[in-house]
Amino acid sequence: MAIKTGKEYLESLRRLKPTVYVEGQRYDDKTAKSVIDDPRIKPSLDTIAMVYDMANNPEYAAIMTTTSHLTGEKISRFTHVAQSTEDLELKVRMLRLLQQKSGGVCIMRCSTLDGLASPYSITYEMDQKLGTEYHKRFKEFVKRVQQNDLYVNLAVTDPKGDRRLRPREQKDPDMYLRVVKKESDGIVVRGAKFHQTAAIGAHVRLVTPTRALAADEKDYAVMFSVPADAKGTTLVASQTAPVADRLEGEEGIAKDLARYASHTTWTFFDDVFVPWEDVYMYGEYEYTHPLIIRFGGQHRATYGGCFAGRGDTWMGLAAALAETHGLSRDSIINDKIVEIAYLNEVMFGLGIACAHCGFKTPSGVYIPDEKLANALKINISRAPYEQVRLLEYICGGIFLTIPSEKDVRHPELRERIDKYIKEVDGIPAEDRIRLVSLLNVILGGSIRGSLAGPYGSCMGAAGGEGAAKVHLRTCIDIEGNKRLAKLAAGIVQD
Amino acid sequence: MAIKTGKEYLESLRRLKPTVYVEGQRYDDKTAKSVIDDPRIKPSLDTIAMVYDMANNPEYAAIMTTTSHLTGEKISRFTHVAQSTEDLELKVRMLRLLQQKSGGVCIMRCSTLDGLASPYSITYEMDQKLGTEYHKRFKEFVKRVQQNDLYVNLAVTDPKGDRRLRPREQKDPDMYLRVVKKESDGIVVRGAKFHQTAAIGAHVRLVTPTRALAADEKDYAVMFSVPADAKGTTLVASQTAPVADRLEGEEGIAKDLARYASHTTWTFFDDVFVPWEDVYMYGEYEYTHPLIIRFGGQHRATYGGCFAGRGDTWMGLAAALAETHGLSRDSIINDKIVEIAYLNEVMFGLGIACAHCGFKTPSGVYIPDEKLANALKINISRAPYEQVRLLEYICGGIFLTIPSEKDVRHPELRERIDKYIKEVDGIPAEDRIRLVSLLNVILGGSIRGSLAGPYGSCMGAAGGEGAAKVHLRTCIDIEGNKRLAKLAAGIVQD
Amino acid sequence: MAIKTGKEYLESLRRLKPTVYVEGQRYDDKTAKSVIDDPRIKPSLDTIAMVYDMANNPEYAAIMTTTSHLTGEKISRFTHVAQSTEDLELKVRMLRLLQQKSGGVCIMRCSTLDGLASPYSITYEMDQKLGTEYHKRFKEFVKRVQQNDLYVNLAVTDPKGDRRLRPREQKDPDMYLRVVKKESDGIVVRGAKFHQTAAIGAHVRLVTPTRALAADEKDYAVMFSVPADAKGTTLVASQTAPVADRLEGEEGIAKDLARYASHTTWTFFDDVFVPWEDVYMYGEYEYTHPLIIRFGGQHRATYGGCFAGRGDTWMGLAAALAETHGLSRDSIINDKIVEIAYLNEVMFGLGIACAHCGFKTPSGVYIPDEKLANALKINISRAPYEQVRLLEYICGGIFLTIPSEKDVRHPELRERIDKYIKEVDGIPAEDRIRLVSLLNVILGGSIRGSLAGPYGSCMGAAGGEGAAKVHLRTCIDIEGNKRLAKLAAGIVQD
Amino acid sequence: MAIKTGKEYLESLRRLKPTVYVEGQRYDDKTAKSVIDDPRIKPSLDTIAMVYDMANNPEYAAIMTTTSHLTGEKISRFTHVAQSTEDLELKVRMLRLLQQKSGGVCIMRCSTLDGLASPYSITYEMDQKLGTEYHKRFKEFVKRVQQNDLYVNLAVTDPKGDRRLRPREQKDPDMYLRVVKKESDGIVVRGAKFHQTAAIGAHVRLVTPTRALAADEKDYAVMFSVPADAKGTTLVASQTAPVADRLEGEEGIAKDLARYASHTTWTFFDDVFVPWEDVYMYGEYEYTHPLIIRFGGQHRATYGGCFAGRGDTWMGLAAALAETHGLSRDSIINDKIVEIAYLNEVMFGLGIACAHCGFKTPSGVYIPDEKLANALKINISRAPYEQVRLLEYICGGIFLTIPSEKDVRHPELRERIDKYIKEVDGIPAEDRIRLVSLLNVILGGSIRGSLAGPYGSCMGAAGGEGAAKVHLRTCIDIEGNKRLAKLAAGIVQD
């Protein structure tokens, strides 16, 4: 029973009752309806469920599962802590695969995957050096995660307040999550964590510091886990599926394109009690630096897989859009398609390199190479913008003006829209509508042209870059300039 | 009465009854409600109304108005055809100003501004050479536009079908708009035009070919005007205001940020009759090439003003976001802010250069320099992506996860969200929420984090580029490499 | 006699006897040979002579000459101080023209052109405000320059020492040029100026501060002119013609390609006496800031012309190299050629914009727009690198390995080299050799492959970018990725 | 005796007497002087000798040497054909190490390293499939190379003629090297090969086709080895050390900076006889495609090590130049330094990834991943240009104007130059001279400012990008634009 199916995952969530707000609607242990059925949240949980299902698919067993070094049982790779550089590499490859399956949607469960390794290794070193019991506790935690195939949601980023000030210098001491009371049986923590990926889909939360801390910041040097619906925790959802919420019950493109989605949250910790057995660090500030560094390396390396997998769909979309135009054999268009692929392979290659240059920590866990992981993250902070630009280039301006699905499906409009949107013989109008809609989802989360407009018009307005370049070619004096070069080279004389 | 106020503009629209679909809802001459009151359309018409009001503001008279060379009356610059390079330059400056006023939202009326010049000049040349009456008619049209301060919506882009084929080679001959019948009193046209900006706000439509045509494509070589609600024309709206439609009657950030918006449409022409007096070209295919080329130069040059004005708000947003973090004096952050400004000035400078190098056509109308206009358009197809990337860099990951307005305003959440989202002392939480919301509107048309997520996570995930770069610095061996350089330079020895 | 011919210019130089070192060889008033005949210097003076000749060419009179606002006489535009934005624009156009004539070699005389305007305008304001006689003196200086068509060499950049320290904080007070003694009939100055362009070709030197100065830095706030061979000044040449020095007396490619060249110098001022009538500022530190700012705007705007003109030859070279390969109609190659042209037009357009947005100073002199001038300079700090990269892309690896001219001309090798270097029928082998040699001169000042090698191999090694991209295309799964996109778009099902 | 020392390598070369032209000077078996003593060639052979010596240095044994899978003997890694992905990775690491040792100069011997693997694997498959003896012969060749630690120089690139035509379509059939006669004891080949790295330092040449060939191009499908001084082969040198040739016998910076250098050649094959035992392919055109593809992957992957190692020196140079300015702690400067490092790590990471994703061929030899290798090559065709740009940014304009060494050393100038070139207290003037000279060698192969001038002035002229950006900051209205953003965000009202 170590590896859950998607269905089992969703059922297991139903038993939890976290306090969650979704666009102003509150869910808690008193509401009849579960947040997991909220149409703004459901697509993201379906995505995670797909990830669970993939681990049950024999075709992908080698990449999606492995053997626990703690229990010897077969487990999902998402609950594994890497025992080799090969494990690190398989993680990157698994993420590329999964992003291909999700059509480029964040598959979210890497929050578990990347959350465990750094605490596992650091608590080991703390126990060795300090005689604490943190690693013993954390190992039990990992075992539980593996045996129940849990989705652990990691909460790292504090609000931070004034960026020039350290935690203890902030006017409001809660700008970084901290221990406000120490009791015999545990601690009480207060603060908030921003930017969790898919925390509504979690069974349990793992909370760590967000930065290196100093000797007088011991109350901030705290790491622990809490149940998903721990008393005092409140979640607010964001990045909720933008389409499904308005089309509940309907079928069509919006529904199809929202099949997979993601969500994010903020979590508030209002004096939450954590029993000692769930505390993995408290006060050992000197370990916060390596904890963060290793986590950074771990998580940044992952993106080499994610963004390449996402980019695979993007490259395919570029090629499919070119095909609708009849331009599959156009040199310039193909150059752009290969450019998108090139950017993918750089990200992927760096992910592989991070894995392969990974190092073994004293605990036995492997962590990706820190230097390469940061180089990868810098690369990923740049490449997708160019990929998106190239997608818009190839698509042409229609992504800015495509009508809403209600119009596309309207009995009085359908025929006309189909007639005019169709390009190449043999490719149905519907296909083009869907491909452009997919681009719009990539650009701004909705299939309507409306949303990409404010920003994307720089490409489409007054003709795209390609049109301008063709036009520019007619304005420049290539022959005259050739003559200048030949004069300079002494080939012709004045 | 030559220059309308915004209110007069809106009232004048109310008298027109075009057939329009807005997300599946049909408006026509039988519907009681006017499309101009549709909350998904209204913000865009309010934006145009603001542009009308600006022409009535004495402070901006010199830039917003001019004297008609046809009537000698004071007119809006939007209905003027440039009589000097100074006119061309003032157009660019006016657009920068207006985009500043609209907070970077497309102000749409350049469809009139840029639509008139090329036909005006080409019809003049046709009359001179061919003895036609096109220019005479067109001059009357322009007079009417000036005297009534009309919003002329330009329709250029045909669906185009298979991009490898010319109009007459398409399987469906309607892929480019064409004359299907010639009658004694006029012509009947059929086809569709994509990508009109704010066509619902138009008093009249001006329709031109989208490409250079050949001798056997005379039926496609057609230019004419039709009333906004001409029989047989049908509009489908897109890029409709994404926020207001769901918040009708409410107040708040969404409402504020949707104060200005734009919309686009597609227009179908189902055998529309056009009387001869509104026909400005029919069959003279050899004039389609210069018509398009001049229009391209005219319209592309405009963007130097628009995108610089838009970018002014963006640069200000970057600076305001930096301020909320307390990082107004951070060198790296400032370098990024100046980079955004640099990209603005390049666009603006090229717009000015297009104007100043403009040329006088035989009709007396000035057209911007074609070579520079295309260089500008290529530049604009690239720069804003980098500007947006820098905005995300400076904002930090919060644009991806900021809760919806319903949560931000929720009585049970408000205090907590405010507490944690606040950064620097002295800047209210609300300000940061609004600035991040503005970024989200720029990115994807909605204030919610949801929409920017699929694509923007490349910056925010696992820490931004800045964090990775700081981290990378700790991983590289600067001193060791310095020694390599000193060895190579013979400064130190092995 | 206001406008000298090239020959007159060279003769006038012969009468001057500055102390100059050229690669260790000393010239002074005791040496029989004039430095202007040194083969390492001569090509640069020939280039300036060409510029003088252009002003005597009736074809270019409108652009190369103008009327002095001081004397009413016809003068070279190089000695003019702009009296209108049109003057500013003509300057930019003149520089593009001249760089086309020189095959992209710096034409150097803009040192005069850009050096006069800022002092002219600032001294005017000083006299107005302070009652000084600086402007009166400077006007006399400009008159003399115009009447004798002098080449004024501007010396601005101080050595600067420790960049963190202000002039008066430097350990050695001479790190910025300063007045060391004030006498009844003049001042004595000490220091050095780096980075003069073609100072050996000057009739007179104009020396200005390099930065804004403060109240306690009055001795550094000094501006003056000195004769080219003033006692106590010593020049050291650099950027000397790299080819001609080794080929004196020979004919061939190297000789042809060194027809035009440039040189730079450093100038030392060892307690040089300057009479009061040649002093244009001394102590008025508060005017150093505007002096520098205006000079910066003035000079940076110029580059829009220079670098576009240089780039014209580069674009032509790219096209000519493509032609030798037989690839004049290749889409990808043409895209690169147009990209080079695009980058040229951006630089030129910004130059035009700087001119057109220029402002009138109280003295009547026009100065280009400062904001745009700095945007232009940032652009120019980036674009040529990409242009060179594209040139290497199109050339192919041969620029790295082309044999020396002695081999190419060698009787035992000539036939074989010609046989194998020839590509397309109809283009002689010699042409290709010359074009590749021209690229090498652009890259590193010498026609030999040797010099571009250390750095340029990134393009050529193991096949160029184009080859790798073609190869990459065969490695990527376009069809598979299309399927991913179609799955995500709901077009096909798993 | 498997592994030669540098000295043994040089001695072994002395016994060979190839016909070589160096800048017009001919060396052959009749000339008394050996080409290896030519001062224009010697530094490159010294560089290769250093590589040989490194293999004898016990400190580097693990990376520089390995065990032959053919003989079981310890051999230089340069003569090894990879038996594992670890071997591929060690190659990349070795090249980074060696480029660090050479100060960024091409170490050239990868011609051997990368030349053997593809033929080794392809001939194996030919023998298996076709029953030929090619692999048997090639294995003997490799054994000989390993046992004698030979430098095998690879010759691949044909002249190619008209790029639109295939080999057999060329007007001159010799545009691709081909068999012109088949004899009982061997073949006679004719043609030329361009772009060999350091062929004068070779013991033996390995010649392969440069492209995939078709059935009617069998005479071009030829692969063989010949002794370095085979009758009928003629070499012409290029990229010869640019400095040493003019400074023979002198000491100083030029000498130091030319300690390591490289050279390239072209080789002509004038009806050269090759005995059958040295022929490894003749006519089997269908194997030319995989031969080239594997060689491409093999060689392109290598650059991940080379260019990162080169970049290490470059990054160190940037840091050392910043140090001379006193700007080691400047944020913007450090951002540029880290950017150089980032670009290095991307190249290196991709090299590692190519290795780790390498595949085993039937022969047992491992070849790097083709897809990643091409992505790496595309990356390397771009990154170093930006690295060089950043180096120029940090250096400041002095690289353009630094005097020649003869001036720097001149007794009358030395003191003055030292006085003014010195910046920070504690860093000798000489150090700065050497660092700037090193940059000039990187840029254009010579220490003089002259050579970088024509192109590099885009950075230095009128102040660098940094100065322009600082200046631009003072011209832009940050506060005004902030207000625009706050207006748009509804924070302030008009």
Side-chain angles (χ1 to χ4, degrees), chain B residues 17-295:
Chain B
K17 293 288 185 184
T19 301
V20 182
Y21 291 82
V22 181
E23 295 197 22
Q25 182 172 349
R26 179 181 169 124
Y27 294 94
D28 59 29
D29 55 4
K30 289 171 207 77
T31 48
K33 236 182 145 183
S34 169
V35 64
I36 76 167
D37 297 317
D38 187 300
R40 292 161 295 195
I41 298 300
K42 193 165 184 309
S44 62
L45 304 183
D46 287 345
T47 308
I48 301 175
M50 175 274 280
V51 172
Y52 273 92
D53 279 335
M54 284 285 285
N56 288 279
N57 186 330
E59 185 183 346
Y60 302 115
I63 195 165
M64 296 294 305
T65 65
T66 188
T67 302
S68 169
H69 73 293
L70 296 174
T71 66
E73 281 175 38
K74 190 178 171 196
I75 55 170
S76 164
R77 184 171 296 283
F78 278 94
T79 63
H80 187 52
V81 285
Q83 298 296 306
S84 65
T85 60
E86 200 198 3
D87 272 348
L88 293 175
E89 180 183 338
L90 283 168
K91 181 185 79 164
V92 172
R93 291 188 180 277
M94 175 177 70
L95 287 163
R96 187 169 190 171
L97 169 69
L98 288 170
Q99 288 266 9
Q100 290 176 340
K101 291 287 167 188
S102 73
V105 169
C106 175
I107 55 86
M108 294 162 282
R109 207 184 167 198
C110 65
S111 181
T112 303
L113 180 68
D114 287 340
L116 301 178
S118 182
Y120 188 96
S121 69
I122 291 295
T123 52
Y124 179 89
E125 292 165 39
M126 289 164 76
D127 284 8
Q128 291 293 311
K129 184 82 177 297
L130 310 173
T132 50
E133 297 203 335
Y134 295 134
H135 187 63
K136 205 180 131 208
R137 294 175 193 165
F138 197 78
K139 209 156 61 176
E140 285 310 304
F141 174 66
V142 172
K143 261 191 221 166
R144 186 156 53 95
V145 168
Q146 291 183 342
Q147 284 168 341
N148 297 285
D149 202 12
L150 300 182
Y151 175 11
V152 181
N153 189 261
L154 189 68
V156 179
T157 313
D158 294 289
K160 293 191 193 135
D162 188 328
R163 303 298 173 102
R164 292 163 301 185
L165 308 178
R166 297 189 58 86
R168 65 183 152 81
E169 298 167 342
Q170 301 288 333
K171 199 176 173 187
D172 179 341
D174 303 338
M175 286 298 103
Y176 290 77
L177 186 140
R178 64 190 178 115
V179 177
V180 289
K181 214 186 304 178
K182 184 176 169 180
E183 300 183 348
S184 60
D185 50 349
I187 54 175
V188 176
V189 299
R190 183 189 301 156
K193 291 286 182 177
F194 285 1
H195 313 336
Q196 294 92 48
T197 305
I200 299 172
H203 300 102
V204 62
R205 313 193 186 292
L206 177 61
V207 181
T208 81
T210 199
R211 59 169 293 167
L213 296 164
D216 57 351
E217 294 164 335
K218 285 186 180 174
D219 284 334
Y220 296 96
V222 60
M223 174 162 66
F224 58 90
S225 61
V226 287
D229 50 4
K231 193 168 165 337
T233 56
T234 307
L235 280 71
V236 191
S238 54
Q239 281 201 33
T240 50
V243 170
D245 60 341
R246 298 185 297 148
L247 288 174
E248 203 179 343
E250 292 189 34
E251 295 304 318
I253 298 174
K255 201 81 180 173
D256 286 355
L257 292 184
R259 184 168 59 134
Y260 295 132
S262 59
H263 77 262
T264 57
T265 63
W266 289 0
T267 305
F268 300 104
F269 295 82
D270 299 328
D271 293 2
V272 175
F273 175 76
V274 187
W276 286 117
E277 59 263 32
D278 296 341
V279 175
Y280 312 119
M281 172 188 286
Y282 174 32
E284 295 80 4
Y285 69 91
E286 63 273 37
Y287 287 89
T288 52
H289 183 251
L291 180 77
I292 288 307
I293 290 297
R294 285 186 199 166
F295 170 65

Side-chain angles (χ1 to χ4, degrees), chain A residues 21 23 385 392 412 448, chain B residues 21 23 385 392 412 448:
Chain A
Y21 292 81
E23 296 197 23
Y385 297 86
E392 295 183 2
E412 296 164 21
R448 294 187 306 165
Chain B
Y21 291 82
E23 295 197 22
Y385 297 87
E392 296 183 1
E412 297 164 21
R448 294 187 305 167

Side-chain angles (χ1 to χ4, degrees), chain A residues 21 23-24 174 195 270 310 370 377 381-382 385 389 392 401 407 412 416 419 448 454 461 463 465, chain B residues 21 23-24 174 195 270 310 377 381-382 385 389 392 401 407 412 416 419 448 454 463 465 471:
Chain A
Y21 292 81
E23 296 197 23
D174 302 339
H195 313 338
D270 297 328
R310 170 171 305 191
E370 187 187 341
K377 184 65 229 292
S381 302
R382 300 175 183 180
Y385 297 86
R389 200 184 78 81
E392 295 183 2
T401 67
D407 295 312
E412 296 164 21
R416 265 181 300 192
K419 170 186 169 85
R448 294 187 306 165
E465 180 187 340
Chain B
Y21 291 82
E23 295 197 22
D174 303 338
H195 313 336
D270 299 328
R310 172 171 304 190
K377 183 66 229 289
S381 301
R382 300 176 182 179
Y385 297 87
R389 200 185 79 80
E392 296 183 1
T401 66
D407 296 312
E412 297 164 21
R416 264 181 299 193
K419 170 185 169 86
R448 294 187 305 167
E465 180 186 339
H471 191 166

Side-chain angles (χ1 to χ4, degrees), chain C residues 105-240:
Chain C
V105 170
C106 175
I107 57 85
M108 294 162 281
R109 208 184 168 198
C110 65
S111 181
T112 304
L113 180 68
D114 287 340
L116 301 178
S118 183
Y120 189 95
S121 68
I122 290 295
T123 53
Y124 178 90
E125 292 165 39
M126 288 164 75
D127 283 9
Q128 291 293 311
K129 184 83 177 297
L130 310 174
T132 50
E133 298 203 336
Y134 293 135
H135 186 64
K136 204 179 131 208
R137 294 174 192 165
F138 197 79
K139 209 155 61 176
E140 286 310 306
F141 174 66
V142 172
K143 259 192 223 166
R144 186 156 55 94
V145 168
Q146 292 183 341
Q147 285 168 339
N148 297 284
D149 201 12
L150 300 182
Y151 175 11
V152 182
N153 190 261
L154 190 68
V156 179
T157 313
D158 292 290
K160 293 189 191 137
D162 189 326
R163 304 297 173 101
R164 294 163 300 185
L165 307 178
R166 297 189 57 86
R168 63 181 153 82
E169 298 168 342
Q170 300 289 333
K171 198 175 175 188
D172 179 342
D174 302 340
M175 286 297 103
Y176 290 76
L177 185 139
R178 64 188 178 117
V179 176
V180 289
K181 214 187 304 179
K182 184 177 169 180
E183 300 182 350
S184 60
D185 50 350
I187 55 176
V188 177
V189 299
R190 183 191 301 158
K193 291 285 182 179
F194 285 0
H195 313 338
Q196 296 92 48
T197 304
I200 299 171
H203 301 101
V204 63
R205 313 193 187 293
L206 177 61
V207 181
T208 81
T210 199
R211 58 168 293 166
L213 296 163
D216 58 351
E217 293 163 334
K218 285 186 181 174
D219 284 334
Y220 295 96
V222 61
M223 175 162 65
F224 58 89
S225 61
V226 286
D229 51 3
K231 194 169 165 335
T233 56
T234 307
L235 280 71
V236 190
S238 53
Q239 281 202 32
T240 50

Side-chain angles (χ1 to χ4, degrees), chain C residues 19 21 26 174 177-178 180-181 187-193 224 226 230-236 267-274, chain D residues 412-413 415-417 419-420:
Chain C
T19 301
Y21 290 81
R26 180 180 170 126
D174 302 340
L177 185 139
R178 64 188 178 117
V180 289
K181 214 187 304 179
I187 55 176
V188 177
V189 299
R190 183 191 301 158
K193 291 285 182 179
F224 58 89
V226 286
K231 194 169 165 335
T233 56
T234 307
L235 280 71
V236 190
T267 306
F268 299 105
F269 294 83
D270 298 328
D271 294 2
V272 175
F273 174 76
V274 186
Chain D
E412 297 165 21
L413 289 171
E415 199 179 333
R416 266 181 298 193
I417 288 177
K419 170 186 169 85
Y420 287 113

